[in-house]
Amino acid sequence: MSDPSRSDVPSPPGDDVPLVPVRLRPDYRRRLWGGNVLPEWLGGEPPPGDEPVAEAWVAHGGSVIMDGPWHGRTVDDLIARVGPAVVGEASVARYGARMPLLAKFLDAADDLSVQVHPNDAYARAHHPGSGHLGKTESWRIVHAEPGARVVWGVSRPMQPERLRRAAEEGAIGTLLRSVPVASGQLIHNPAGTVHAVGAGSRLYELQQASDLTYRLWDYRRKGADGRPRELHLTAALEVADLSGRGEPFVPPRPGADGWTQRVACPFYLLEELATDQDAGRVVDATTLADDGAQLHLLTVLNGSFRLTGQGTEPPMTLPEGATALVPAAYGAYRLHGRGTVLRGRTGPAG
């Protein structure tokens, strides 16, 4: 959360300031497997460091607001002040007054580690007081080089000890399911899925707001400190789904309103609008969900859109790569533009 004592952070607005959509500043992360494309595409400056830029966190609790009365503050600041009006009553009832989602872009020039994430119950039992949720996540492939692949699940049912031995012997790759990927595909990783992004992919990820990750294998790579990166075999094998069942790809489900549902799970929905006509789409955050208003995250993959609301605030321009947060209590808004925009929203799937 922002430090209110800093001279460059403005004081929070008063209670009478209207709640409006806000643009969020990309927050870059350096990782040894990154590819350095994201800052040029999304704008802004990455933090200093020697490792390449691998991730851009475009919406999370620490995201800095770029405009409006909350300029310079964070999403956490906003939620601390007005809670349910930002994330929705259902989300607050489930997780408290906190940002429940994290959206990011990943740029993989090298293979990521083979990893697995726990569910909510395991996170609560084994990481008490950490504030972490479990971690279910979904990938929308933005760009894939020829031959790009991902790891998704195990190739056949097996006992945990077999996978442990393979990891310790460096032979885990023979037991994992490797699948080719192409731009436009949607891959869903429920908590417990053994997975890894392969080299040559750039993707958008929507996930629960957790960073609990257990590594099963990391190619014996060394971190910035020169030491092999830590594995977490015991925890990983306690939560991993080793059934060999399931499919990685989620087929799109076109909707009557022009939006295509890409994934619906108990933690979020991800939808996509692709249009070559500047025809204005009306969206009402207060009526889309059966359980009440939801926070919306809008990210433009290509083209440009303009967001207008019901109040007197000026239209918001969303160029390619931009992300905006629309508070749950904002109500109806209209999108004009051409291109492709993703919409993530909170709450259990209806």
Side-chain angles (χ1 to χ4, degrees):
M1 184 176 294
S2 299
D3 180 358
S5 67
R6 283 174 42 201
S7 60
D8 60 335
V9 176
S11 299
D15 294 334
D16 58 342
V17 172
L19 201 58
V20 298
V22 293
R23 276 193 58 182
L24 304 178
R25 181 185 302 163
D27 179 7
Y28 294 109
R29 309 295 170 101
R30 294 183 179 274
R31 305 283 188 266
L32 56 83
W33 45 264
N36 281 326
V37 169
L38 296 176
E40 181 179 353
W41 182 40
L42 304 177
E45 291 294 327
D50 296 327
E51 292 185 334
V53 175
E55 301 182 4
W57 292 24
V58 295
H60 66 115
S63 290
V64 175
I65 296 168
M66 297 175 63
D67 46 25
W70 287 83
H71 169 74
R73 310 293 296 190
T74 68
V75 171
D76 280 339
D77 292 334
L78 185 58
I79 294 173
R81 175 62 71 88
V82 291
V86 180
V87 298
E89 295 282 358
S91 181
V92 170
R94 188 172 192 175
Y95 296 118
R98 58 168 298 173
M99 179 63 162
L101 299 179
L102 192 162
K104 63 174 74 167
F105 284 107
L106 278 67
D107 176 25
D110 199 355
D111 296 332
L112 276 68
S113 61
V114 178
Q115 53 192 238
V116 65
H117 309 300
N119 60 21
D120 287 2
Y122 192 93
R124 284 193 299 268
H126 294 269
H127 301 273
S130 69
H132 284 303
L133 314 175
K135 186 175 177 182
T136 286
E137 63 187 30
S138 301
W139 301 331
R140 198 287 197 182
I141 306 297
V142 177
H143 173 77
E145 297 289 341
R149 308 179 72 88
V150 301
V151 167
W152 196 92
V154 292
S155 57
R156 53 193 176 276
M158 65 189 67
Q159 295 299 313
E161 284 309 310
R162 183 177 185 189
L163 197 61
R164 178 190 289 273
R165 287 196 303 272
E168 292 172 342
E169 295 168 1
I172 193 172
T174 63
L175 302 181
L176 303 177
R177 185 178 177 188
S178 175
V179 295
V181 295
S183 300
Q185 290 179 320
L186 193 290
I187 299 167
H188 183 56
N189 302 316
T193 304
V194 176
H195 64 278
V197 178
S201 290
R202 186 164 74 249
L203 58 89
Y204 170 92
E205 177 177 303
L206 184 66
Q207 60 161 89
Q208 292 180 271
S210 169
D211 207 26
L212 287 174
T213 297
Y214 307 137
R215 291 194 195 102
L216 277 164
W217 176 244
D218 196 35
Y219 315 97
R220 297 195 172 100
R221 289 185 294 204
K222 296 180 180 179
D225 60 0
R227 299 178 179 179
R229 299 214 296 172
E230 182 182 5
L231 301 181
H232 317 95
L233 295 181
T234 297
L237 293 171
E238 285 180 348
V239 303
D241 177 0
L242 303 182
S243 68
R245 296 191 297 267
E247 290 296 326
F249 300 111
V250 179
R253 294 179 57 188
D257 60 355
W259 290 85
T260 296
Q261 179 180 286
R262 300 308 311 261
V263 67
C265 70
F267 312 106
Y268 53 78
L269 295 94
L270 180 62
E271 297 149 315
E272 182 171 333
L273 174 66
T275 177
D276 58 4
Q277 298 181 350
D278 189 359
R281 310 291 176 122
V282 176
V283 182
D284 190 344
T286 63
T287 60
L288 276 177
D290 294 336
D291 55 354
Q294 301 171 324
L295 172 149
H296 287 196
L297 298 175
L298 302 173
T299 299
V300 178
L301 294 187
N302 57 70
S304 178
F305 288 83
R306 189 172 68 260
L307 188 157
T308 58
Q310 303 301 307
T312 59
E313 67 273 7
M316 174 184 290
T317 299
L318 298 174
E320 182 173 320
T323 293
L325 181 155
V326 182
Y330 182 68
Y333 61 92
R334 183 181 293 270
L335 281 177
H336 291 266
R338 294 182 176 89
T340 304
V341 60
L342 297 176
R343 179 176 70 195
R345 47 189 176 109
T346 54

